Amino acid sequence: MTITNIRIGIYLCDCDGKVSKNVDLSKVKTAIQSQAEFEYIREADVVCGTAEQEKVAAEIDKYSLNRLLIVGCNDPFITRKFVQLAEEKGINRYSVEFLDLSAVNSVEAAVSAINSRLGKLHLREQIGYEELAVTPDVLVIGSGSEAAAVAKAISKNQPVVRIDHETKKVVGVDGFPGNFTVRLLENGKTSKHSFGAIVLALGAQPQYDAAKYGGVNLDERTLSLSQFINADKNYAGKKISFVLGKADADSLLSFAAVLKSSLDLKGKGASEVDVIYDDMKVCADGLEQEYELARKKGVNFLKYDGEFQINSASDGATFQYREPFLPIEATRVAADYLVLAEDFVPVAATQELAEILDIRTGPGGWFQKDNVHFLPIKSNRAYILFVGSCHGPIHGTDLYNEIEAVVAEVSAFAKGKAQVPSLQPRVEAKKCAVCLTCYRCCPHHAIEIVHGDEYDNMYNSAARMNPLACQRCGICAGECPGKAIQLPLYSDQEVLFEVKQPAKIVAYACENSGFLASEFAKTLDPQLQKALQIVEVPCSGKIDVIYLLKALENGADGVMLLVCHKENCKYVWGNNRAEQRKERAQALLNQVGLGDRIEFVHVAANQGNQFNAAVKEMAEKIRQSGTNPGKVVK
Amino acid sequence: MIVAEGKPVEKILEMVAPFKKVLIAGCRGCVTVCLTGGEKEVGILASQIRMARSKDGNPIEILEQTEERQCDAEYNAKFLENVEQVDAIVSLACGIGIQYLGEKYPATPIFPGVNTLMLGANIDVGKWEERCMACGDCVLDKTGGICPITRCSKSLLNGPCGGSQYGKCEVSTPAKEDIPCGWQLIYDRLSALGQLDKMKEIIPSKNWLRAKGPRTYVREDLTLDRS
Ligand code: SF4
Ligand code: SF4
Ligand code: SF4
Ligand code: SF4
């Protein structure tokens, strides 16, 4: 949707004197008035005050404004307030821009920052909302208690189908969130079903590892914890000793299971119950109470340290160990049954489902990569969610929190329709060569190839991004060899407009890391930012080779890419793509002797100092390479 | 699909050295799909050349244009306005497109911006493999659907040479990853298909002699008489 009649209102807010102490706002106003295109401009002392808000509302009507540029601060409270006001007046949030002038200290700098924002507002396409029909039904995959719990919780809001992935298996998934088509195999027959969302609750698989217990094999009297639990025998009058801490060292699942079993045994008349442990882990909801209760009921808690020896005979088993607190050589516990904790490993179906669903596994083969940006329940695909131990053993409150989060997430489809802002990339069919590059590079499986007469190229086909699946990283746009893809709010036009007259150093900064670090860095060393221009991108994977070159061609001396740490890109591999593009761009510079002018920096949001250090390093690099001789004088 | 790679820019800079205004012409066909000559690469090369020439104190003006296919005259007609303004053209289409665009505008020198490599498949993002050498007399029916001309490093037609070892071609070097022996692939496929007897059939040597000059292809049933 392009809007032909763009009417921009500019508000120059002094933020209660904060801005005018550095720059003369009336001079800024005069300068803008003489050069820029807009409908209305005025200064204000505190434009966020109630009286002012009413005035702004009236002005929106009076001048028929349909876009706003608020120059002043960037306070989230105030931006929210303005967005609300704008939306009440029918201007949607994507047509309102805020510009923070608090770090700017010259009229020229202020004017150029305003012009740059204004230009973007002019170029921006109008963003609408789409209402999509979705299937409320949710598929839960898993046979254990975790799957049962999440299915039950979801079923309060919308229909749920639970399958165990054994008797009924998922063999294929097509489509997108809200309308996944899942192929299920049962008794040798496949059938197709429609689901809005898919929840994986496979649980974890206990696995006995003899090596952890000095090579002891399981037998009649020495059992693994899961054997013990599954057998569910009558142990009245027997002595049971549990051994904890050798296996499953990182999770609480065994500790929780042992405490529960000890209490059960006590209740059912076992003669004695020991829990032999090295470190007692009770740091989850309710475990501490169970531990206290077990002690009260007479469960013996025995601490061991280091070496131990297990002997199993036909009438019982012994555990010999060193007591860390008593000055005795060895302690020997004899029991009717010795129960050994196991490790937890991903269930066999984890890898298979990962491939079928195009989602990823991480360390240890569990679902999901190790990445600070990933919320626990989220996979790389929207509305394919994890709950419970299938992404690493969890227990208690953590599990309930996940279930709650999943219920909230899938409830978006409960009413059979979903409203989304239309922010997914657009493909200009005329330019699409249907090369599949975007389709293959999208980390979120959000792209399909569609066919029809309306696609005016030689294939009558084009790539299309699904609004519910797309996470707006812009990686696809950065890859497209035909320049057919534009990401709303970050179109090539908008981004390249910002570097038309670049500062000495242009830093393309990922909004999840580099940009936040730059905001922090400003407060640490405001001087350093003078020769620096930050260009925000949604993900470093949006930084096109051409962005790097254009900044230099237009006169920057150096370009930086500020990206998330390795393995920590919010969009899976955006930072790796950015690094590959940096290598390419630097090679292109080297080929024509333009020197080392591109810096690639991994930085987290809280690393303001590292950010400043990197900027200094870039400045030094430029000092050595000299000013950019490749600048093209127009 | 035709697969090409970008030509080293120093070569391109040499070609355009005498000129002040140049058109870089992209193609939305094969070379866009193989990520070498679409609108994006046109932009990148243009920017790189502009900077290189600025650095040398010899600025150049570059126009950029990409059209559907440079192997069709109708699409090449779309370049007219820009061609009229420039001293030379650098085409990022395959060798066919470069020549064909050049034929359309014989008064303007045209230069290749790419090296045309092969007829290949796109194995994954950024990876291509040759599958056909357009020999003009296809033998895939006899070889289990695997091309001996392309997949055998020596284009042998009747079984492997003595250098086939453990399924690898002797041409493999540490620098170039293991090359599977084409005839081993053919043997394996035929044996899986239960058609090993096809190996016994002698494929006569091909006539590579191009006595008739460049190949042409005419279908009388389709040619259009415009008179
Ligand atoms: S990468 Fe570009 S040209 Fe290729 S399929 Fe996607 S939109 Fe089309
Ligand atoms: S913007 Fe990102 S998530 Fe959306 S389609 Fe492109 S690559 Fe996929
Ligand atoms: S000119 Fe070459 S690259 Fe372009 S479509 Fe034709 S054959 Fe393919
Ligand atoms: S035999 Fe090989 S080179 Fe010849 S046409 Fe067939 S595939 Fe192509």
Side-chain angles (χ1 to χ4, degrees):
Chain A
M1 217 185 317
T2 43
I3 174 164
T4 40
N5 186 15
I6 294 172
R7 300 170 71 91
I8 301 178
I10 307 174
Y11 290 88
L12 300 172
C13 176
D14 191 11
C15 224
D16 211 7
K18 257 188 257 151
V19 179
S20 60
K21 82 175 185 257
N22 298 327
V23 256
D24 184 336
L25 272 182
S26 57
K27 280 201 185 132
V28 173
K29 183 177 159 190
T30 321
I32 296 286
Q33 272 171 326
S34 70
Q35 18 175 296
E37 232 182 278
F38 58 90
E39 192 56 35
Y40 178 69
I41 186 168
R42 91 171 153 82
E43 290 171 66
D45 289 337
V46 215
V47 79
C48 52
T50 314
E52 272 288 348
Q53 295 264 299
E54 280 166 19
K55 212 168 145 194
V56 173
E59 284 158 349
I60 292 176
D61 289 337
K62 184 166 172 204
Y63 300 100
S64 310
L65 305 178
N66 51 24
R67 290 187 184 193
L68 298 177
L69 174 59
I70 315 296
V71 182
C73 71
N74 219 344
D75 184 305
F77 173 73
I78 289 153
T79 53
R80 227 175 300 134
K81 211 164 145 186
F82 255 101
V83 165
Q84 201 184 346
L85 168 78
E87 295 212 323
E88 275 165 22
K89 291 266 129 206
I91 302 177
N92 87 25
R93 65 186 61 212
Y94 308 106
S95 298
V96 187
E97 277 278 321
F98 298 90
L99 178 64
D100 180 6
L101 275 196
S102 56
V104 168
N105 46 17
S106 75
V107 172
E108 299 77 61
V111 170
S112 108
I114 292 170
N115 274 331
S116 158
R117 265 331 140 87
L118 260 184
K120 284 189 77 172
L121 262 185
H122 272 289
L123 293 167
R124 175 157 304 166
E125 75 164 299
Q126 184 71 16
I127 306 294
Y129 288 85
E130 283 178 56
E131 194 170 276
L132 304 162
V134 292
T135 314
D137 307 46
V138 177
L139 176 67
V140 173
I141 309 175
S143 55
S145 58
E146 294 176 343
V150 73
K152 187 168 166 221
I154 297 171
S155 67
K156 292 189 181 125
N157 301 326
Q158 60 211 96
V160 178
V161 172
R162 177 153 78 97
I163 61 163
D164 55 8
H165 197 62
E166 280 159 28
T167 55
K168 213 180 210 185
K169 269 173 99 76
V170 175
V171 288
V173 176
D174 293 317
F176 293 100
N179 293 297
F180 288 117
T181 303
V182 180
R183 269 174 293 132
L184 296 175
L185 176 70
E186 190 181 21
N187 295 328
K189 276 198 204 109
T190 49
S191 53
K192 281 187 182 178
H193 305 265
S194 211
F195 294 102
I198 300 172
V199 178
L200 291 149
L202 301 177
Q205 170 84 42
Q207 191 180 61
Y208 177 72
D209 179 4
K212 301 230 162 116
Y213 293 96
V216 168
N217 290 321
L218 301 174
D219 57 27
E220 278 289 294
R221 296 291 175 160
T222 304
L223 310 171
S224 75
L225 183 56
S226 61
Q227 276 177 338
F228 171 82
I229 292 171
N230 294 337
D232 195 23
K233 280 209 316 221
N234 182 2
Y235 293 102
K238 302 288 188 216
K239 175 174 176 184
I240 318 291
S241 298
F242 294 97
V243 180
L244 278 172
K246 275 292 143 188
D248 188 30
D250 299 328
S251 90
L252 292 165
L253 283 184
S254 305
F255 289 81
V258 164
L259 286 174
K260 182 168 176 295
S261 301
S262 332
L263 284 166
D264 277 0
L265 284 167
K266 275 287 175 192
K268 289 181 182 159
S271 68
E272 218 178 315
V273 180
D274 298 332
V275 176
I276 312 172
Y277 66 97
D278 66 344
D279 278 310
M280 199 63 210
K281 294 203 179 117
V282 289
C283 56
D285 201 40
L287 281 191
E288 175 104 42
Q289 287 98 307
E290 292 213 334
Y291 171 68
E292 291 299 335
L293 189 62
R295 291 192 76 126
K296 261 197 213 127
K297 298 261 164 163
V299 173
N300 306 316
F301 285 88
L302 309 169
K303 187 171 169 67
Y304 68 88
D305 190 13
E307 298 292 299
F308 58 80
Q309 206 182 348
I310 293 170
N311 281 307
S312 203
S314 58
D315 57 347
T318 60
F319 185 85
Q320 189 170 319
Y321 67 100
R322 211 183 66 78
E323 220 296 335
F325 303 116
L326 296 176
I328 41 176
E329 272 302 292
T331 310
R332 194 162 149 268
V333 173
D336 292 311
Y337 295 93
L338 206 55
V339 180
L340 309 178
E342 299 147 293
D343 286 309
F344 283 92
V345 296
V347 305
T350 307
Q351 198 52 44
E352 183 191 50
L353 279 166
E355 276 159 32
I356 293 171
L357 298 172
D358 189 18
I359 54 177
R360 296 195 165 72
T361 54
W366 303 102
F367 279 134
Q368 205 182 50
K369 293 266 180 218
D370 255 352
N371 182 328
V372 292
H373 286 299
F374 295 171
L375 293 174
I377 61 162
K378 299 234 173 161
S379 75
N380 52 299
R381 294 186 65 179
Y383 294 93
I384 297 183
L385 306 166
F386 306 125
V387 85
S389 300
C390 62
H391 61 108
I394 65 160
H395 170 77
T397 322
D398 290 340
L399 176 65
Y400 303 128
N401 288 343
E402 285 194 359
I403 292 177
E404 226 171 90
V406 166
V407 168
E409 185 83 8
V410 299
S411 71
F413 293 162
K415 295 211 164 66
K417 54 188 186 209
Q419 211 199 31
V420 276
S422 181
L423 286 168
Q424 77 282 9
R426 321 288 195 243
V427 173
E428 193 183 333
K430 195 174 156 332
K431 294 184 171 188
C432 175
V434 209
C435 70
L436 299 178
T437 307
C438 57
Y439 174 85
R440 290 171 178 156
C441 290
C442 171
H444 305 112
H445 207 110
I447 303 179
E448 61 188 326
I449 304 293
V450 288
H451 314 281
D453 290 344
E454 63 273 38
Y455 304 110
D456 59 340
N457 56 30
M458 56 181 150
Y459 309 100
N460 281 140
S461 308
R464 183 167 70 192
M465 288 66 183
N466 181 285
L468 279 165
C470 172
Q471 309 194 12
R472 298 150 198 162
C473 58
I475 292 175
C476 54
E479 305 284 350
C480 176
K483 290 263 120 239
I485 307 177
Q486 296 299 337
L487 178 70
L489 312 184
Y490 298 95
S491 67
D492 290 336
Q493 258 195 321
E494 282 166 273
V495 174
L496 291 175
F497 183 85
E498 289 198 59
V499 296
K500 258 195 163 151
Q501 287 170 316
K504 273 191 171 346
I505 301 176
V506 170
Y508 291 102
C510 162
E511 69 183 13
N512 304 294
S513 56
F515 179 73
L516 300 171
S518 80
E519 293 280 293
F520 179 32
K522 257 187 223 171
T523 62
L524 299 172
D525 189 348
Q527 283 308 309
L528 202 58
Q529 305 257 343
K530 272 194 175 163
L532 180 69
Q533 181 186 1
I534 305 283
V535 179
E536 202 181 341
V537 285
C539 166
S540 59
K542 175 72 175 72
I543 307 170
D544 203 316
V545 173
I546 201 78
Y547 293 179
L548 303 172
L549 297 184
K550 275 287 174 194
L552 294 166
E553 184 185 328
N554 292 343
D557 288 331
V559 197
M560 301 176 78
L561 298 87
L562 299 162
V563 318
C564 296
H565 280 289
K566 268 205 179 320
E567 310 278 314
N568 270 301
C569 171
K570 185 173 174 193
Y571 304 108
V572 187
W573 53 53
N575 56 352
N576 297 344
R577 298 309 279 170
E579 189 163 15
Q580 287 169 293
R581 298 194 198 133
K582 179 258 167 181
E583 293 300 327
R584 163 114 201 262
Q586 184 57 61
L588 293 168
L589 297 188
N590 294 343
Q591 285 159 13
V592 295
L594 289 173
D596 216 359
R597 300 195 176 270
I598 311 182
E599 189 86 343
F600 186 84
V601 191
H602 291 289
V603 67
N606 60 358
Q607 293 184 305
N609 281 315
Q610 282 86 336
F611 176 95
N612 282 339
V615 174
K616 281 187 193 136
E617 213 168 287
M618 181 84 233
E620 179 54 29
K621 210 178 216 187
I622 291 172
R623 210 184 51 79
Q624 281 173 15
S625 315
T627 52
N628 168 20
K631 175 178 179 168
V632 175
V633 188
K634 296 245 161 72
Chain B
M1 178 200 41
I2 294 176
V3 181
E5 65 175 1
K7 226 182 200 342
V9 72
E10 54 272 29
K11 294 261 162 61
I12 302 175
L13 283 170
E14 267 171 41
M15 300 172 204
V16 300
F19 306 107
K20 287 279 182 202
K21 192 166 179 183
V22 165
L23 166 68
I24 300 186
C27 169
R28 284 195 216 291
C30 316
V31 288
T32 293
V33 179
C34 74
L35 316 181
T36 300
E39 183 169 327
K40 178 183 191 130
E41 293 303 316
V42 168
I44 289 173
L45 181 65
S47 181
Q48 192 190 19
I49 294 180
R50 276 186 210 109
M51 284 195 274
R53 290 279 293 257
S54 278
K55 169 179 157 272
D56 296 343
N58 180 17
I60 185 170
E61 195 182 332
I62 297 184
L63 306 181
E64 304 171 26
Q65 188 178 352
T66 303
E67 295 299 342
E68 272 78 353
R69 280 196 298 264
Q70 290 185 24
C71 50
D72 278 306
E74 288 84 347
Y75 293 127
N76 284 343
K78 296 193 189 179
F79 288 102
L80 178 69
E81 264 178 46
N82 278 337
V83 172
E84 279 175 346
Q85 294 181 45
V86 297
D87 316 323
I89 309 168
V90 174
S91 164
L92 297 193
C94 72
I96 307 165
I98 301 166
Q99 297 179 55
Y100 209 51
L101 181 63
E103 284 167 39
K104 179 90 189 164
Y105 303 106
T108 313
I110 190 161
F111 305 113
V114 307
N115 290 323
T116 304
L117 295 177
M118 58 181 160
L119 308 182
N122 190 182
I123 307 305
D124 196 356
V125 186
K127 285 187 186 156
W128 296 269
E129 276 180 20
E130 187 170 28
R131 284 290 186 272
C132 172
M133 284 164 64
C135 72
D137 182 12
C138 194
V139 297
L140 289 175
D141 57 318
K142 304 183 171 67
T143 55
I146 294 168
C147 170
I149 313 282
T150 317
R151 308 294 289 279
C152 165
S153 309
K154 300 165 186 173
S155 298
L156 298 180
L157 285 170
N158 292 288
C161 68
S164 174
Q165 281 235 29
Y166 312 112
K168 301 287 179 234
C169 171
E170 67 174 344
V171 171
S172 311
T173 59
K176 180 153 189 206
E177 271 176 45
D178 287 350
I179 303 164
C181 165
W183 274 101
Q184 180 77 46
L185 297 176
I186 294 169
Y187 176 87
D188 291 344
R189 174 79 68 84
L190 286 175
S191 107
L193 292 169
Q195 298 178 352
L196 267 183
D197 52 317
K198 289 205 171 176
M199 296 273 296
K200 290 190 196 143
E201 189 185 331
I202 303 292
I203 304 176
S205 42
K206 285 182 177 291
N207 182 3
W208 291 107
L209 183 73
R210 311 226 307 164
K212 290 183 190 155
R215 289 176 280 185
T216 51
Y217 173 47
V218 179
R219 268 183 69 176
E220 299 295 354
D221 60 329
L222 293 177
T223 49
L224 179 64
D225 184 357
R226 283 204 173 76
S227 59

